[in-house]
Amino acid sequence: MRIAVPREADDEQRVALIPDSVARLVRGGHAVTVESGAGSRAGFSDEAYTTAGATIAGRAALASAAEALVSVGVPPDDLLSTLARGAIVAGLLDPAPDAPHLARLAQRGLTAYAMELVPRTTKAQSMDVLSSQATVAGYKAVLIGANALPRLLPMLTTAAGTLTPARCFVVGAGVAGLQAIATARRLGAVVSAFDVRPVVKEQVQSLGASFLDVEQVAAEGEGGYARELAADQQQRVADAIGEHLVTQDLVITTAQIPGRPAPRIITTAMVERMRPGSVIVDLAAESGGNCEVTRAGEVVQHHGVAVHGPAGIASSVPTHASQMYSRNIQTFLEHIAGVDGDPLADPILGPMCVVHDGAVRAGR
Ligand code: NAD
């Protein structure tokens, strides 16, 4: 397969394939063309790509011969217009079914795969970009919080006295939440967590954190994901969390429900009861926020509490985020190259395909 890798938009520091993956794909018989400077913001030079066996090209010549264009974000129109009809586009394509950019991909006769829609099955695990990028986000969220706190995280016993450890509460113990718990524990905080899926309690405890138990609350839905809580359960959770927050220094929220806006868990009134100097890092900011005060891409100071709504957080750790994303894309490309017959009948490609045969298929 002839594969093209573009330089991403200015606000995206990651790159879809790193030289290590390029070398593996080239060894597998594929040809890779990389836009000049594509990896520079993630720490990968044009020379490293050339050594790995890629051809470096300018934007105009990048995609005209490509059978597959792999990206992080939605590729820009000027690039898409140079792709041949029938070519494949794969990346984080923001696949709402009514998205105008999907309609444009369809008009151009391209086939598009949204990496957000990799099925969460064991076989597809190594292509799962949501998990790999959530791992980075969970880790970085704790660093953002630690940096913003007016206190240290660990307990210290020194000649100048004893410092008590910070208390960190993680809401949502999925991929990002578990990584946040592990990171906060490594930094010495006393960590607690809550999730509506009771099955994660043991995972939380095995990382050395305590689980905030709320009686009769369970909302495990399809495929191991959460579903929305019933109204009476929501009230019990709100009461328990509101009470717990009063004693916390750092709160990391990661709660999501697939295909829905993020659940609103921390109200303005709850923030107002928190101790001044406390910090909230809301990883759900871009899908509406778990906290009522959150604004995506901003830090809001409210009643002495700093509420961070980081946007593009995985892009802020571009080397490792790209390394993991690239392995996901490499595995995806190897999979697609090995599929004989109708790709839409394939159990991995079928659910990921959002544009085919001139039409937008069901997205998210
Ligand atoms: P996610 O990003 O959709 O949600 C994050 C967490 O928020 C989840 O743990 C969810 O239960 C929780 N949540 C939702 N509503 C909440 C609320 N009101 N209050 C508190 N918590 C709430 O999920 P994710 O992290 O991407 O994955 C969730 C789970 O899916 C994983 O823990 C795992 O079991 C499964 N998974 C499987 C695979 C695989 O098999 N390939 C890959 C990734 C994840």
Side-chain angles (χ1 to χ4, degrees):
M1 203 175 354
R2 289 186 301 277
I3 300 157
V5 182
R7 184 183 159 89
E8 299 289 328
D10 286 346
D11 59 353
E12 177 55 73
Q13 303 197 72
R14 292 169 290 178
V15 60
L17 284 177
I18 69 162
D20 184 55
S21 298
V22 168
R24 286 167 196 250
L25 288 163
V26 169
R27 276 201 299 277
H30 304 288
V32 183
T33 306
V34 177
E35 183 173 352
S36 180
S40 61
R41 289 167 294 175
F44 305 104
S45 65
D46 286 356
E47 292 70 36
Y49 282 104
T50 310
T51 307
T55 306
I56 302 294
R59 166 130 322 188
L62 177 71
S64 52
E67 292 161 290
L69 176 79
V70 289
S71 62
V72 178
V74 179
D77 284 349
D78 67 317
L79 187 55
L80 293 174
S81 63
T82 64
L83 274 171
R85 291 185 85 76
I88 289 164
V89 176
L92 289 166
L93 299 182
D94 196 6
D98 53 356
H101 59 271
L102 294 190
R104 287 199 292 276
L105 287 163
Q107 278 157 16
R108 298 216 153 89
L110 302 167
T111 292
Y113 294 99
M115 295 307 292
E116 293 95 329
L117 302 179
V118 171
R120 296 196 118 175
T121 57
T122 309
K123 192 152 182 256
Q125 215 161 3
S126 50
M127 307 173 205
D128 184 354
V129 298
L130 290 188
S131 286
S132 73
Q133 304 306 292
T135 301
V136 176
Y139 165 86
K140 188 70 189 277
V142 176
L143 300 192
I144 291 171
N147 199 35
L149 275 175
R151 54 186 300 144
L152 307 184
L153 264 70
M155 186 180 111
L156 291 184
T157 307
T158 78
T162 298
L163 306 181
T164 54
R167 294 185 171 276
C168 173
F169 179 45
V170 177
V171 183
V175 180
L178 290 172
Q179 193 55 238
I181 292 169
T183 306
R185 286 282 300 143
R186 283 185 209 116
L187 288 175
V190 173
V191 184
S192 55
F194 171 71
D195 197 295
V196 291
R197 296 179 301 124
V199 65
V200 299
K201 179 175 178 175
E202 248 177 57
Q203 296 167 31
V204 166
Q205 289 172 334
S206 72
L207 290 170
S210 58
F211 192 79
L212 181 71
D213 273 310
V214 184
E215 243 178 76
Q216 291 176 351
V217 164
E220 178 113 23
E222 271 176 39
Y225 281 117
R227 56 177 168 73
E228 267 180 326
L229 287 173
D232 61 319
Q233 295 186 343
Q234 272 179 26
Q235 192 52 52
R236 276 199 296 279
V237 168
D239 292 346
I241 288 186
E243 212 48 56
H244 192 62
L245 287 176
V246 174
T247 60
Q248 301 302 306
D249 301 297
L250 172 59
V251 178
I252 313 276
T253 65
T254 74
Q256 303 272 6
I257 295 169
R260 317 244 339 147
R264 196 45 70 74
I265 295 167
I266 300 178
T267 61
T268 304
M270 289 182 196
V271 174
E272 289 170 2
R273 285 181 64 207
M274 289 175 69
R275 289 199 293 240
S278 308
V279 173
I280 297 174
V281 181
D282 189 345
L283 283 189
E286 287 174 301
S287 51
N290 290 144
C291 174
E292 208 171 5
V293 175
T294 300
R295 285 207 294 270
E298 293 182 29
V299 181
V300 179
Q301 298 288 343
H302 188 84
H303 264 243
V305 178
V307 182
H308 293 243
I313 191 164
S315 168
S316 73
V317 194
T319 301
H320 275 154
S322 300
Q323 183 180 322
M324 290 198 275
Y325 188 87
S326 171
R327 179 57 75 89
N328 299 144
I329 290 281
Q330 178 202 322
T331 317
F332 168 77
L333 289 167
E334 288 164 349
H335 178 76
I336 213 167
V339 169
D340 274 335
D342 181 9
L344 300 191
D346 179 75
I348 295 174
L349 300 180
M352 294 174 65
C353 184
V354 287
V355 175
H356 187 61
D357 251 350
V360 177
R361 305 173 77 238
R364 195 165 48 182

